[in-house]
Amino acid sequence: MDHASFIIASYALTFVSIAGYALYIVRRARRLGALTSDDDKPWI
C-alpha cells in the first residue's frame, strides 16, 4: 500500500487526459461540421 497514492494519481491523470482530448476532438468536429456544406456530407 506504499505506492497506492502514486497508482491512483496515475489513473486519475490518465482519465483526465483522455477525457480532455475526447472533449477537444468532439468540439473541433462540431465546429468543422458547421463550416462544411451539406453537399460535402454524404451521411446526410
Side-chain angles (χ1 to χ4, degrees), residues 5-44:
S5 61
F6 176 75
I7 293 170
I8 292 170
S10 297
Y11 271 100
L13 180 63
T14 301
F15 177 76
V16 168
S17 298
I18 292 172
Y21 184 66
L23 180 63
Y24 167 75
I25 292 296
V26 169
R27 291 177 70 190
R28 183 172 177 236
R30 287 184 181 175
R31 187 173 1 121
L32 292 175
L35 296 175
T36 306
S37 68
D38 286 343
D39 293 335
D40 293 331
K41 299 176 187 175
W43 58 89
I44 292 182

